Amino acid sequence: MFRTALRNVLAHKARLLMTVLAVMLGVAFVSGTLVFTDSISDAYQKSSAKGFDRVDVAVQPRSRADQGDRIGRTPELTRAMLDTAARVPGAADAIGVVTGFTAIADKDGKLIGGGFRSEGGNYWGDKDPRYPLTSGSAPHGENRIAIDAETARRAGYRVGDTVRISVDGPVLKPVISGIFTTDDGNVAAGGSLALFDTATAQKLFGKAGTYDEIDVTAASGTSQTALKAALDKALPAGLTETTTGRQLADEQAEMIASSMSGLKQGLLVFAGIALFVGTFIIANTFTMLVAQRTKELALLRAVGASRRQVTRSVLVEAFVVGAVAGVTGLAAGVGIGAGLRSLMDTLGATVPDGPLVISPATVAAALTVGVVVTVLAAWLPGRRAAKIPPVAAMSSVHAKATAKSLVLRNTLGALFAAAGVAVVLAATTMDGTDGQAPMGLGAVLLIIGVFVLTPLLSRPLIAAAAPVLRLFGVSGKLARQNSLRNPRRTAATASALMIGLTLITGMTVMAGSLQRSIDRMAASAVKSDYVVSMANGNELSPDVARKLAATEGVTAISPLRNAPSRIDGRTEYLTGVNGKAIGGLTDLKVDDGSFTVDGARVVVDADTAESHGWTAGSSFTAHFEDGKGERLTVAGVYEGNQLMRGIMLDDSLLSPHLSDPADMQVLVKTAGGASGAAKDRLEKALGTNPAIKVQDKKDLSDTVAQMFTLMLNMLYGLLAMAVIVAVLGVVNTLAMSVFERSQEIGMLRAIGLDRRGVKRMVRLESLVISLFGGVLGIGLGVFFGWAAGELLGTKMPTYELVLPWARMGVFLLLAAAVGVLAALWPARRAARLNTLAAIKAE
């Protein structure tokens, strides 16, 4: 039986090619994902570990959380602590580290890097071992700066050039004194790094005489653990915490692995979808192969083969196919992993250099997935064939499914679909977080139910196409009858395409609805013409609001100044605003009271008010950063959103309690509304500062929606894999169907159907099956998009369902195109069959 199975594989190489391709694509996606994420993770970890080579122990201020979450300033690392650390027994030297945000403009005045990746720091002395100079010299004085080599290369800067930079104040124009190399992960990820001398860095970052970290190097013969113990004894207890370089490297590696795990899981989800779609194709292929060889298998049974041996022979074929697909898929996956890495560099997402990592786990996963998926998909057809009595198989009385099996299938499908719909609908009534798992479960149940029911659903949906098919005469009539003749095969073929279009349609509905809700949020939350903020999300200097207020054409302005407070034993953040202007700069719906911010009267968002049990007229005491308290009264409760929320009070009441006031954003209204000229005036008033963003409402919504658009485009690309697998499924089914119906096609040719009519028949059959899958997929996608939107609406009040009719029409055309393209080769093959040879075929 083993030799027989191997001969069958070798005898039907063409018939199994599509199955191998379907499995190979799924395996390639899985192995490519693993190779890509392992390589990127390894490169970042090695790059990060290099950054800690010169740090044996790092001294940092103890965080506020370690001090009981008291409101106040975090302890500072002073020069005295640095000197103490340098004199500790076992210490070779100590470096004081200062860091902060520093925006570097390119030669066109645009910000280099991703904003939050634009970092600054201090260069220690004349030769800092952390940053080897490739040209120039160390920066000394306020008018000198050193930049990393990658930023210099991207912007075209050289030593001696003047560069525009900004920290959190006005634009500075220092001269580049040196260019250095670095293993900093931010630079590797496409950011920038600017270095000043230590005194200048402390002044610019508001840390006069203090450091963010002290890096201590151990003397020869001293271990990191011993040095850490000595530093713990010498430094003030309760104000500092020490960490060995090895611990820092391990924590960084763990953080990188954790951040990469999300990307890996997301990619593997779509690899799983491709495999899921491929499973239908494999099962469909083996069902047809077994059906074509029924008499052969019956003969084996008649000469003494047992049911188990027949099933085993089919599984051996599947094992061989899976093993071949697994090996070729692994090779293709290595190429995909290398291609994805190159694509990241092409798109500007710089990645540290490193080798392509092909771990034993990746090899094992590729081979296991290829073999296991194929064998499992072939098991049911093999078992079904083994159960057919030899005499019945030889006389082909087994061909049609019994009424009992169809009733059982339809009953199970209806139960699964009903359970899926019920669970999804129940999830839409839950909170956004709590409803995610039930909705996922309901979606899986519904898809399984619809898949099981597709033979039943195919009849009415394909019958609906009858009037159109009649226009094509005999070919159209035959195409409809062929589609309905074997509803299980039609269903399995259409289901592969259905799943891909379900996901694409669902995400398109979600993306369009999210864009609309974000636009509504920006319009409803903000009535100002512009919102001014830092590019990295950090705080703005109060000077920004003062400069904007003095700008020509500005009619109203309000800073949004955040500060922590203690209310009823809990930490709550307050937002200081211009009480007189804020009402005209926002358009927030008030549920209770009035939107009045004046003196001790404040407004609170509904969630915060509910958590404290406040209503309009309620009073509470807020304790500020300086420890003093103020009695405040709730004038109104408003509906907050992702752009505006929290407790708003007049800035004249908040700022006197702050030691270092700073604004998160500034709302600006101009005469005549938003315009290009008004935006230019505001930017010029701020010195055309690369660190500061001046955004109108459209810019705000585009910024928020940008990540959704990027994600959607990535998902479209990934789901294209599932659609490609589905196309292979349609091609495979039609090709095998043509082979199976050779005698029938020969008879049709003999009684007068010409080659063109045969081609048209096969193409129309493919078109009908593809459109059937497309209609089911788009319908399910709209349902899932609506359900997910209902869940999201609990967190986003402005959410509104938007049905992208134009795109759904494109998806339906895509399904039709899949059908037409998939039929090209099978139709040509059917038309070229020799009439007499086909009539004699068994």
Side-chain angles (χ1 to χ4, degrees):
M1 292 301 295
F2 181 73
R3 287 197 298 271
T4 301
L6 289 180
R7 283 171 182 166
N8 277 324
V9 173
L10 296 175
H12 304 118
K13 294 186 286 288
R15 288 192 298 183
L16 291 173
L17 177 61
M18 291 296 179
T19 307
V20 171
L21 285 174
V23 183
M24 186 197 74
L25 279 174
V27 173
F29 206 166
V30 172
S31 54
T33 294
L34 294 174
V35 168
F36 171 66
T37 52
D38 286 346
S39 300
I40 297 299
S41 179
D42 180 72
Y44 273 115
Q45 286 177 10
K46 286 181 178 177
S47 174
S48 175
K50 287 180 185 176
F52 295 113
D53 285 347
R54 302 179 188 89
V55 180
D56 289 310
V57 179
V59 181
Q60 296 168 323
R62 191 170 292 275
S63 66
R64 294 179 186 177
D66 296 333
Q67 304 172 61
D69 195 28
R70 295 194 306 267
I71 295 176
R73 297 179 67 83
T74 300
E76 297 175 333
L77 300 179
T78 62
R79 178 72 197 197
M81 292 180 184
L82 174 64
D83 293 339
T84 300
R87 292 193 299 266
V88 164
D93 60 49
I95 293 176
V97 179
V98 183
T99 58
F101 170 70
T102 302
I104 306 178
D106 60 20
K107 292 185 177 181
D108 294 325
K110 303 297 183 182
L111 176 66
I112 297 175
F116 64 94
R117 292 173 178 166
S118 303
E119 296 291 334
N122 66 314
Y123 192 92
W124 191 256
D126 293 320
K127 191 174 182 180
D128 193 326
R130 300 171 299 169
Y131 306 113
L133 290 168
T134 58
S135 61
S137 58
H140 288 292
E142 295 185 3
N143 196 37
R144 292 290 182 272
I145 190 176
I147 64 173
D148 67 272
E150 187 60 27
T151 297
R153 182 189 65 79
R154 290 201 305 264
Y157 284 132
R158 297 180 180 180
V159 172
D161 288 348
T162 299
V163 60
R164 291 168 55 85
I165 68 165
S166 175
V167 179
D168 64 351
V171 174
L172 304 175
K173 297 179 182 178
V175 174
I176 298 175
S177 66
I179 295 173
F180 60 88
T181 59
T182 178
D183 297 314
D184 188 279
N186 281 324
V187 173
S192 63
L193 180 61
L195 300 179
F196 311 88
D197 66 34
T198 300
T200 302
Q202 288 174 326
K203 178 182 176 182
L204 289 174
F205 301 140
K207 298 163 185 173
T210 64
Y211 308 94
D212 294 297
E213 183 176 298
I214 297 172
D215 292 341
V216 187
T217 306
S220 179
T222 303
S223 68
Q224 291 186 353
T225 307
L227 179 59
K228 179 180 183 302
L231 287 167
D232 286 338
K233 282 185 182 179
L235 294 171
L239 297 181
T240 61
E241 53 187 1
T242 56
T243 312
T244 64
R246 190 174 297 107
Q247 285 177 306
L248 288 173
D250 291 343
E251 288 173 4
Q252 185 81 354
E254 184 178 342
M255 184 179 70
I256 290 171
S258 176
S259 63
M260 292 301 295
S261 69
L263 174 63
K264 182 184 291 187
Q265 288 172 5
L267 291 172
L268 285 175
V269 164
F270 292 97
I273 291 168
L275 281 174
F276 188 53
V277 173
T279 302
F280 293 131
I281 298 170
I282 299 163
N284 203 18
T285 301
F286 274 95
T287 299
M288 295 174 70
L289 285 174
V290 169
Q292 291 170 9
R293 290 168 39 215
T294 300
K295 289 186 179 181
E296 174 191 325
L297 295 174
L299 184 60
L300 290 173
R301 290 287 311 283
V303 298
S306 66
R307 288 184 177 183
R308 184 175 296 177
Q309 285 177 313
V310 171
T311 304
R312 195 180 301 150
S313 72
V314 176
L315 294 181
V316 167
E317 290 183 48
F319 178 85
V320 173
V321 170
V324 172
V327 172
T328 54
L330 174 62
V334 172
I336 289 173
L340 285 173
R341 180 161 177 169
S342 299
L343 181 63
M344 287 188 70
D345 290 334
T346 303
L347 295 175
T350 311
V351 178
D353 292 331
L356 208 61
V357 177
I358 307 169
S359 67
T362 299
V363 176
L367 295 178
T368 301
V369 165
V371 172
V372 170
V373 167
T374 310
V375 170
L376 286 178
W379 175 75
L380 190 59
R383 184 171 176 270
R384 188 185 300 130
K387 291 174 69 175
I388 301 172
V391 175
M394 286 181 178
S395 60
S396 299
V397 298
H398 66 288
K400 291 188 178 181
T402 64
K404 180 180 177 182
S405 69
L406 290 174
V407 169
L408 178 62
R409 177 179 181 131
N410 292 338
T411 302
L412 285 174
L415 290 173
F416 269 100
V421 170
V423 174
V424 168
L425 292 177
T428 60
T429 63
M430 300 179 184
D431 180 75
T433 306
D434 298 335
Q436 289 178 4
M439 184 163 290
L441 174 63
V444 171
L445 290 174
L446 181 54
I447 287 177
I448 293 173
V450 171
F451 170 66
V452 175
L453 284 173
T454 39
L456 180 65
L457 297 172
S458 65
R459 291 188 175 276
L461 288 176
I462 291 176
V468 178
L469 292 175
R470 285 197 195 101
L471 299 176
F472 296 93
V474 175
S475 297
K477 183 178 180 180
L478 290 171
R480 184 179 68 84
Q481 291 175 346
N482 288 335
S483 303
L484 294 174
R485 178 188 302 175
N486 192 335
R488 291 188 179 189
R489 187 171 66 204
T490 297
T493 306
S495 295
L497 190 60
M498 176 193 78
I499 291 172
L501 285 179
T502 295
L503 294 164
I504 290 175
T505 304
M507 288 187 300
T508 302
V509 170
M510 283 282 294
S513 302
L514 279 171
Q515 181 65 63
R516 175 72 62 83
S517 65
I518 291 166
D519 290 343
R520 288 182 62 196
M521 184 194 305
S524 63
V526 180
K527 237 167 37 173
S528 64
D529 296 316
Y530 295 99
V531 177
V532 180
S533 60
M534 288 288 282
N536 65 335
N538 279 0
E539 297 174 332
L540 287 163
S541 166
D543 287 337
V544 170
R546 286 193 284 269
K547 288 181 179 178
L548 290 171
T551 303
E552 178 190 353
V554 172
T555 58
I557 190 168
S558 175
L560 303 181
R561 182 164 295 174
N562 286 8
S565 69
R566 296 290 287 182
I567 301 172
D568 298 335
R570 289 155 50 181
T571 299
E572 294 282 3
Y573 276 83
L574 307 175
T575 302
V577 298
N578 181 343
K580 295 178 181 178
I582 192 65
L585 295 170
T586 57
D587 192 16
L588 299 166
K589 183 180 177 183
V590 179
D591 296 329
D592 186 17
S594 62
F595 198 89
T596 304
V597 181
D598 182 24
R601 289 186 292 176
V602 302
V603 291
V604 185
D605 71 282
D607 289 340
T608 304
E610 183 180 354
S611 67
H612 286 277
W614 296 335
T615 59
S618 298
S619 295
F620 61 91
T621 300
H623 293 277
F624 300 98
E625 182 183 287
D626 60 0
K628 296 178 181 178
E630 292 279 359
R631 192 70 179 168
L632 304 175
T633 301
V634 178
V637 177
Y638 67 91
E639 290 185 8
N641 54 46
Q642 280 72 14
L643 295 177
M644 304 285 289
R645 63 175 63 188
I647 304 172
M648 294 187 195
L649 72 162
D650 196 276
D651 185 56
S652 61
L653 186 65
L654 175 65
S655 292
H657 298 284
L658 304 180
S659 58
D660 188 16
D663 304 324
M664 293 305 298
Q665 294 175 323
V666 179
L667 306 182
V668 182
K669 197 166 187 63
T670 58
S675 66
K679 187 173 183 178
D680 288 342
R681 283 198 301 271
L682 296 178
E683 289 177 343
K684 286 179 181 177
L686 299 174
T688 317
N689 195 320
I692 299 177
K693 297 187 296 185
V694 179
Q695 297 175 294
D696 58 21
K697 291 179 186 179
K698 186 178 184 306
D699 295 331
L700 281 176
S701 61
D702 288 348
T703 300
V704 179
Q706 187 175 12
M707 58 180 176
F708 295 112
T709 304
L710 178 62
M711 188 185 308
L712 185 67
N713 290 337
M714 287 180 63
L715 295 182
Y716 278 160
L718 294 171
L719 285 172
M721 181 70 73
V723 174
I724 291 171
V725 174
V727 172
L728 287 175
V730 179
V731 174
N732 202 20
T733 300
L734 288 172
M736 298 186 73
S737 176
V738 167
F739 179 85
E740 186 182 68
R741 304 196 322 256
S742 294
Q743 190 176 52
E744 173 192 322
I745 293 171
M747 291 295 295
L748 290 171
R749 290 289 312 283
I751 62 176
L753 189 65
D754 60 10
R755 289 187 174 182
R756 182 177 297 177
V758 171
K759 285 183 180 180
R760 187 182 300 123
M761 175 187 73
V762 176
R763 289 170 183 164
L764 289 174
E765 181 184 348
S766 174
L767 184 63
V768 167
I769 292 173
S770 297
L771 286 175
F772 169 55
V775 169
L776 282 182
I778 292 172
L780 281 174
V782 169
F783 176 71
F784 288 138
W786 166 81
E790 290 293 303
L791 203 61
L792 189 62
T794 61
K795 297 290 185 183
M796 188 178 287
T798 57
Y799 186 85
E800 177 187 353
L801 179 67
V802 176
L803 293 180
W805 296 105
R807 289 203 178 190
M808 288 193 291
V810 170
F811 296 155
L812 200 58
L813 289 175
L814 174 65
V818 165
V820 172
L821 292 174
L824 291 177
W825 177 62
R828 187 168 178 268
R829 182 183 178 191
R832 295 181 66 181
L833 283 175
N834 182 283
T835 304
L836 294 178
I839 291 173
K840 292 191 296 181
E842 294 188 3

